[in-house]
Amino acid sequence: MNTYGIQAIYRFEMGRWFRTLGQSLFSPVLSTSLYFVVFGSAIGSRMVEIGGVSYGAFIVPGLIMLSILTESVSNASFGIYMPRWAGTIYELLSAPVSAMEAVCGYVGAAATKSIVIGVVILATARLFVPYEVENWPLVILFLVLTSVSFCLFGFILGVLADGFEKLQIVPMLILTPLTFLGGTFYSIDMLPEPWRTLTLFNPVVYLISGFRYAFFGEQAADVNIGVSLAAISVFLAVCLGAVWWIFKTGYRLKV
Amino acid sequence: MTEPIISIRDVSKTYKSGLQALKPTSLEINKGEIFALLGPNGAGKTTLISVICGIVNPSSGTVVADGHDIIRDYRDARKKIGLVPQELHTDAFERVIDTVTFSRGLFGFAPNPAHIEKVLRDLSLWEKRNDKIMTLSGGMKRRVMIAKALSHEPKILFLDEPSAGVDVELRRDMWEMVRGLREKGVTIILTTHYIEEAEEMADRVGVINKGELILVEEKNTLMRKLGKKQLTLELLAPLTDVPRVDGYNLELASEGRQLIYSFDTQADDTGIASLLKQLSERGIDFKDLHTEQSSLEDIFVSLVHRQ
């Protein structure tokens, strides 16, 4: 096991993040805080409770999930795309680093960034919206599982992308709409048929519902917690398999 | 008896486009030598190096580096190898010391600030250690690439066109550094367009053209075998016809003011003394004479054109 190699990649990636801490951390925190101000404090006070939870508190898990999904994909895809673009990937390919070690370094760093952002947003939300967390271990489990899974997904996108603009397509055109339509601002029980059934095909519904379950318990969740955990686990397994195959074959990395 | 540190057996590379960049190639690099791989652009030099270093997947064949198969036992093989690629691929926003330290860790070695400092000092980079790479000149960036490759104390160092874009002074410094590494037992494989570089440093030379390794030879032997020597006589009075001297192939140049005799460098008797005697007997006098030996560059051009 090349632990020094993993540490080197991890530190390198975190170093890059710290150099641009302003835009890396404060930007997502600021934009999410604006949601809390508008939907939590201003409009939220005029909304009815959902599942026994105030509207301001109800949107906290979904907004944290929105930030984690987009930041995970962006950070991880940029992390591996940058050396491909700059040509410095030669060093990784010629180093005694296995596929799993490289993934641990890159995805570990990207997931750390996402988790830090998630925790900071969680703390910031408390300034605008009063909420209590029912199950902290489950919150942490969802935070970690979601961050790691979507960082892996971002890593795959970074390997497949052949231009900077393509790195932004999935977070902007797919993840953000899916998150908005996945129950960030509402319970899917509020939707009429057939939209309610159709929404169940949106995988982000399961993440937000599971995360909300961890915060407020069963009454605030849209789907069973077991289904949510299974969904994120399957997604994690698929991404792990894809990354393993990419390194095994050198697809888009080696010629 | 020289011991091979790299054994290449029937390695070939055909890209998906169908281009065969490297035909089945076998080669052994000896421990502690400086091996120069020469060839025109697109000859397959970088492809061969990239296969050995793990950047390009070979289509066939095996490579063993310091006793380790580069695919089955890639960890141990790669730990022994350092690579300075042709292109200046650097992390522009990183500091010099950070990128060199990163390379050492990536190759699985514990942090060693003293070694990093020594490498940076040897390459005159210590004063620039806190500078961002983007602020350095092309030559200094090349040094950073070398420092990264040396950060994990490799036993085998690949230098792919190390002098590209480097000024004369820096090139001389680099040659000194390469010689110093060789003295420490590092095996060096370099590809270069500057034949002068190979002539100056290499122990052995390989010539690759159109994906085929066409020759591997000791540099001195190669220059003896394929090199030609010419004797040029500056005549006192110009000649209109080439003088007929039995057994000698002579030519006139400079409108008859020079008489040129080409001879085999390997022959026991060059025949110069006899030629000068015979010319003197015929009243052909000269005011000066000099000899020239063909350079490695002449030999290289002749080999590549012959193929």
Side-chain angles (χ1 to χ4, degrees):
Chain A
M1 181 89 165
N2 184 352
T3 48
Y4 289 118
I6 298 171
Q7 283 174 31
I9 297 171
Y10 184 87
R11 283 194 189 137
F12 181 88
E13 284 298 301
M14 292 307 290
R16 189 164 60 79
W17 193 60
F18 281 119
R19 273 202 307 275
T20 55
L21 199 61
Q23 83 187 66
S24 309
L25 182 63
F26 298 126
S27 170
V29 171
L30 180 68
S31 58
T32 313
S33 297
L34 291 175
Y35 281 115
F36 291 132
V37 171
V38 175
F39 292 100
S41 303
I43 298 174
S45 58
R46 296 170 186 230
M47 304 280 278
V48 293
E49 287 188 347
I50 303 174
V53 181
S54 73
Y55 185 72
F58 181 84
I59 63 171
V60 169
L63 286 175
I64 293 173
M65 204 50 90
L66 172 67
S67 284
I68 287 177
L69 297 188
T70 50
E71 288 298 317
S72 295
V73 171
S74 296
N75 280 325
S77 60
F78 195 77
I80 189 65
Y81 181 73
M82 195 62 186
R84 283 183 59 219
W85 177 77
T88 52
I89 191 84
Y90 84 88
E91 200 174 20
L92 179 67
L93 295 176
S94 63
V97 176
S98 72
M100 208 39 75
E101 288 157 0
V103 168
C104 282
Y106 280 106
V107 172
T112 304
K113 298 170 197 174
S114 299
I115 291 167
V116 170
I117 288 170
V119 169
V120 172
I121 292 174
L122 191 61
T124 312
R126 199 70 179 78
L127 300 175
F128 303 101
V129 183
Y131 66 84
E132 298 300 329
V133 173
E134 194 174 297
N135 190 339
W136 274 110
L138 200 56
V139 166
I140 293 165
L141 179 69
F142 259 97
L143 207 58
V144 172
L145 275 178
T146 309
S147 298
V148 171
S149 307
F150 279 80
C151 285
L152 282 167
F153 182 55
F155 188 89
I156 296 164
L157 293 178
V159 170
L160 297 178
D162 53 11
F164 278 105
E165 69 283 358
K166 291 193 180 165
L167 291 180
Q168 295 302 323
I169 287 177
V170 170
M172 285 178 67
L173 297 183
I174 299 175
L175 282 180
T176 304
L178 283 181
T179 312
F180 273 87
L181 298 172
T184 299
F185 295 103
Y186 53 85
S187 165
I188 61 169
D189 286 337
M190 296 159 75
L191 294 173
E193 287 294 352
W195 299 112
R196 189 185 178 283
T197 304
L198 279 176
T199 302
L200 291 174
F201 289 98
N202 177 356
V204 178
V205 165
Y206 301 91
L207 299 179
I208 294 175
S209 172
F211 204 39
R212 197 171 275 145
Y213 176 99
F215 270 74
F216 308 119
E218 198 172 356
Q219 76 279 6
D222 287 321
V223 290
N224 183 280
I225 182 65
V227 177
S228 290
L229 280 171
I232 188 69
S233 301
V234 167
F235 187 63
L236 177 66
V238 169
C239 291
L240 273 174
V243 168
W244 175 83
W245 179 81
I246 284 169
F247 271 95
K248 179 87 178 164
T249 59
Y251 181 72
R252 304 284 286 215
L253 293 176
K254 289 187 185 184
V255 286
Chain B
M1 178 81 180
T2 47
E3 193 184 341
I5 194 164
I6 297 179
S7 297
I8 300 163
R9 291 270 172 277
D10 298 321
V11 166
S12 71
K13 177 64 188 177
T14 304
Y15 290 103
K16 280 179 187 164
S17 62
L19 172 77
Q20 189 177 30
L22 195 63
K23 292 175 185 169
T25 299
S26 296
L27 173 67
E28 289 197 335
I29 309 286
N30 298 323
K31 196 173 268 185
E33 74 172 337
I34 299 180
F35 185 88
L37 194 56
L38 309 178
N41 285 334
K45 306 185 293 290
T46 301
T47 301
L48 181 57
I49 286 182
S50 300
V51 166
I52 300 168
C53 294
I55 297 169
V56 168
N57 290 324
S59 303
S60 68
T62 58
V63 179
V64 175
D66 201 27
H68 306 288
D69 184 282
I70 59 154
I71 293 173
R72 282 201 311 273
D73 198 6
Y74 73 96
R75 282 187 196 274
D76 287 324
R78 291 181 186 182
K79 276 189 168 188
K80 310 287 173 59
I81 297 175
L83 167 66
V84 182
Q86 189 174 340
E87 305 292 334
L88 286 172
H89 297 308
T90 55
D91 297 300
F93 301 101
E94 293 294 317
R95 295 188 312 156
V96 170
I97 195 161
D98 292 338
T99 194
V100 178
T101 305
F102 164 75
S103 297
R104 183 176 173 85
L106 193 64
F107 278 77
F109 286 78
N112 184 345
H115 175 70
I116 299 294
E117 180 176 342
K118 185 179 181 313
V119 168
L120 293 180
R121 284 194 188 280
D122 286 350
L123 290 159
S124 307
L125 282 169
W126 183 245
E127 303 303 317
K128 305 266 183 190
R129 64 189 181 280
N130 291 319
D131 290 5
K132 284 188 176 177
I133 297 171
M134 63 193 292
T135 64
L136 303 179
S137 66
M140 295 307 271
K141 281 179 187 160
R142 179 74 62 191
R143 288 179 189 223
V144 172
M145 304 288 284
I146 296 172
K148 281 166 77 70
L150 294 177
S151 66
H152 63 282
E153 303 159 71
K155 290 172 80 173
I156 304 163
L157 180 66
F158 285 92
L159 297 165
D160 196 0
E161 301 285 351
S163 297
V166 167
D167 64 33
V168 178
E169 192 184 352
L170 200 56
R171 196 181 310 160
R172 295 274 167 193
D173 285 354
M174 211 177 291
W175 292 356
E176 280 307 309
M177 184 210 71
V178 168
R179 284 195 194 95
L181 286 170
R182 196 256 297 270
E183 279 167 21
K184 289 175 191 161
V186 178
T187 305
I188 292 149
I189 299 100
L190 64 94
T191 72
T192 182
H193 278 100
Y194 297 96
I195 310 291
E196 184 197 355
E197 196 162 59
E199 194 168 335
E200 175 83 21
M201 291 199 295
D203 299 311
R204 283 199 307 150
V205 171
V207 178
I208 191 166
N209 191 30
K210 297 173 187 167
E212 189 178 354
L213 192 62
I214 55 177
L215 177 139
V216 176
E217 190 68 88
E218 295 279 340
K219 181 189 68 187
N220 293 334
T221 310
L222 178 69
M223 294 188 70
R224 251 195 338 268
K225 261 191 195 170
L226 299 179
K228 283 182 184 169
K229 241 179 172 177
Q230 285 188 330
L231 170 72
T232 304
L233 299 172
E234 302 287 342
L235 302 174
L236 272 175
L239 296 174
T240 49
D241 297 313
V242 180
R244 285 192 175 178
V245 183
D246 287 343
Y248 290 91
N249 185 17
L250 302 174
E251 292 170 62
L252 279 175
S254 299
E255 297 171 340
R257 285 192 296 273
Q258 287 184 336
L259 187 63
I260 297 170
Y261 164 48
S262 299
F263 56 95
D264 184 358
T265 53
Q266 293 192 99
D268 292 334
D269 180 11
T270 58
I272 292 175
S274 168
L275 173 67
L276 295 181
K277 190 177 167 193
Q278 291 191 55
L279 290 174
S280 175
E281 285 169 2
R282 293 175 192 204
I284 302 172
D285 294 321
F286 55 92
K287 55 186 175 188
D288 195 8
L289 83 169
H290 62 267
T291 58
E292 278 176 6
Q293 184 163 5
S294 49
S295 65
L296 185 57
E297 183 161 347
D298 298 327
I299 298 168
F300 167 72
V301 169
S302 126
L303 277 169
V304 169
H305 283 184
R306 201 186 294 166
Q307 213 197 7

